Amino acid sequence: MNPMVITAAMVGAETTREQTQYLPISAEEIAADAAKCREAGAAMVHLHVRTPEGKPSQDTELFRAAIRAIRAKCDVLIQVSTGGAVGMNVDERCGALKLTGADRPDMATLSTGTVNFGADVFWNPRPLIRDIATRIKGLGLKPEIECFDVGMIDEARALEKEGFITLPAHFDFVLGVGGALSATAEGLDFMRSYIPQGSSWTCAGVGRHQLPFVELAAERGGNSRVGLEDNIYLSKGVLAKGNFELVAEAAKRAKSKGRELATPQQARELLRLT
Ligand code: KMH
Ligand code: ZN
């Protein structure tokens, strides 16, 4: 099996400081935690940013500051969010896609369908998906295709036919969002059987499913996403004292299943970023 790419979803748009004091918010806090995540075995971070008050943001300059701070400390790959928070418009969501040159991210997410998101709706109508895909391609990046439900894999095929993305690609199955596909082994097995041949995949189990899904992904040769965006607990009732603790636990579980961990350079090749 290939080495496992562990992605740390550091901040997200939904987790709050009221829920956990360990959520990194400033560029310096994000970079310090990212460097510890890298040491613990992460090859990539999935990045959202916040205003100094902690409000979810997709501001270009906040992304620039976070990316510079991370790269000053370590070589972890940086995947920026184009999902942002529910309710943001497409220009807001694509704030990080204005970063070029040394500040350009390594990868960007592309969600390929509208989905219920707890009590909210994560709104991704088909023209908006194509708009974001065009911007990602324009920056010369590869998307990570974020699938919260099965039909989003079909939409990736449609995007390829229309020339917006290339396949095979890298997919992320986010399982366990309220109102979307739940986190079950059967769901994961269908998703991975259904992606276009030659594609790679990561699985992100939400909430209490996060760490058990690292083991399911490890056994199946896939990759894992962990972090405070999706889950704040290291074990029942015990807060993770930073993303790095979740990465360390994921690394331990992956190794217990016989998986090596990918370096950022290996991840570049495995996710076809080169
Ligand atoms: N915050 C969610 C509504 C992404 O990063 O691309 C969407 C999200 C997906 O987090
Ligand atoms: Zn995200």
Side-chain angles (χ1 to χ4, degrees):
M1 283 189 200
N2 286 327
M4 177 188 270
V5 179
I6 296 182
T7 300
M10 309 286 300
V11 183
E14 291 80 26
T15 307
T16 66
R17 271 277 168 89
E18 284 68 46
Q19 293 168 320
T20 172
Q21 66 188 103
Y22 301 109
L23 181 74
I25 286 179
S26 70
E28 291 67 34
E29 288 166 351
I30 294 171
D33 196 356
K36 288 191 198 167
C37 288
R38 173 75 195 95
E39 271 171 40
M44 182 153 74
V45 294
H46 165 76
L47 191 64
H48 293 241
V49 288
R50 301 290 178 100
T51 66
E53 297 73 41
K55 221 178 120 229
S57 170
Q58 294 282 102
D59 177 75
T60 306
E61 295 313 313
L62 290 172
F63 268 113
R64 191 193 306 279
I67 288 173
R68 286 186 179 177
I70 293 168
R71 288 188 175 151
K73 279 197 161 20
C74 67
D75 63 351
V76 76
L77 299 178
I78 301 177
Q79 176 198 84
V80 292
S81 169
T82 66
V86 290
M88 286 180 175
N89 69 40
V90 67
D91 289 325
E92 266 179 292
R93 283 171 59 172
C94 291
L97 300 182
K98 296 205 176 90
L99 294 168
T100 56
D103 298 327
R104 193 179 73 144
D106 298 292
M107 196 178 202
T109 59
L110 178 66
S111 293
T112 49
T114 294
V115 67
N116 283 317
F117 202 87
D120 296 311
V121 176
F122 182 33
W123 192 244
N124 292 293
R126 299 183 88 184
L128 181 145
I129 299 168
R130 283 149 181 79
D131 184 348
I132 296 178
T134 303
R135 299 186 201 211
I136 292 172
K137 199 173 167 188
L139 195 57
L141 298 182
K142 292 275 172 59
E144 176 177 89
I145 300 172
E146 306 286 309
C147 298
F148 297 78
D149 221 321
V150 174
M152 296 185 185
I153 298 175
D154 290 306
E155 187 65 356
R157 289 196 171 87
L159 289 166
E160 191 231 11
K161 276 207 189 85
E162 297 165 34
F164 290 99
I165 63 168
T166 54
L167 294 177
H170 183 67
F171 287 77
D172 182 29
F173 312 137
V174 184
L175 303 182
V177 168
L181 188 63
S182 56
T184 63
E186 292 79 8
L188 171 61
D189 284 335
F190 181 74
M191 295 292 265
R192 69 193 183 93
S193 74
Y194 198 53
I195 54 176
Q197 208 171 13
S199 294
S200 49
W201 59 273
T202 289
C203 185
V206 172
R208 68 190 163 83
H209 300 291
Q210 181 166 89
L211 292 166
F213 268 69
V214 173
E215 291 170 36
L216 295 184
E219 289 162 355
R220 288 159 173 75
N223 306 290
S224 288
R225 169 170 127 174
V226 294
L228 297 173
E229 172 164 344
D230 305 323
N231 162 50
I232 60 175
Y233 293 108
L234 190 58
S235 57
K236 197 171 161 67
V238 179
L239 290 173
K241 292 192 177 62
N243 286 283
F244 68 95
E245 283 202 344
L246 294 166
V247 172
E249 180 61 26
K252 194 173 101 190
R253 293 188 188 210
K255 286 179 187 161
S256 80
K257 301 285 177 186
R259 296 291 297 278
E260 301 287 323
L261 304 181
T263 63
Q265 189 50 42
Q266 287 172 317
R268 264 185 208 290
E269 282 154 32
L270 291 166
L271 309 185
R272 286 176 227 80
L273 306 183
T274 42

